[in-house]
Amino acid sequence: MQSDALRFWIFVLVSLVAFAAILRFATRHRTQRPRAATVIATAAIVVVGGMTFAKYGHNLGLPWWIYYTAPALATLLLPPIVFRLRGRELAWYLGLAFLSSPVIHVAFSFLLGWKEYMPFIPVPAWWDVLGR
């Protein structure tokens, strides 16, 4: 069994890759694409910073509305400001950014039985569905 710390950093890595891909996808029609370093730096602040704040904010006893709201605000505000997202770019970004967390949660919960990413959304593991 993996340690909680290893699982956390696996969640962070998968989320970071997904978020960077979302930023690249949302800005795909630009004639001058955002620099990879800017995409990675923004994704790192939002994902690594946000997930670390949420995990340790929870562990330190902060109210849920702080340790969930601060990362959500970073997700909502930072990339649209940094990349000056407008119109379709903003719509794609917001839709995919908010869908990515539940999709990652469902995948990890169903495939590996790891339920700590979004523990308030119950998803059985595949072996529970099959009755094993």
Side-chain angles (χ1 to χ4, degrees), residues 62-85:
L62 292 177
W64 69 267
W65 56 270
I66 292 176
Y67 65 79
Y68 276 118
T69 303
L73 286 174
T75 302
L76 270 175
L77 300 175
L78 188 62
I81 291 168
V82 169
F83 299 105
R84 295 184 174 100
L85 300 178

Side-chain angles (χ1 to χ4, degrees), residues 106 109-111 113 115 121-129:
V106 168
S109 293
F110 186 73
L111 296 174
K115 302 180 184 308
I121 300 175
V123 176
W126 64 269
W127 55 83
D128 293 331
V129 173

Side-chain angles (χ1 to χ4, degrees), residues 51-114:
M51 289 179 73
T52 302
F53 181 80
K55 178 172 182 59
Y56 293 104
H58 172 75
N59 292 349
L60 293 172
L62 292 177
W64 69 267
W65 56 270
I66 292 176
Y67 65 79
Y68 276 118
T69 303
L73 286 174
T75 302
L76 270 175
L77 300 175
L78 188 62
I81 291 168
V82 169
F83 299 105
R84 295 184 174 100
L85 300 178
R86 299 282 184 261
R88 282 193 167 166
E89 287 181 341
L90 183 61
W92 274 112
Y93 166 72
L94 290 174
L96 292 172
F98 280 101
L99 282 175
S100 65
S101 290
V103 168
I104 292 168
H105 167 69
V106 168
F108 275 103
S109 293
F110 186 73
L111 296 174
L112 300 174
W114 297 3

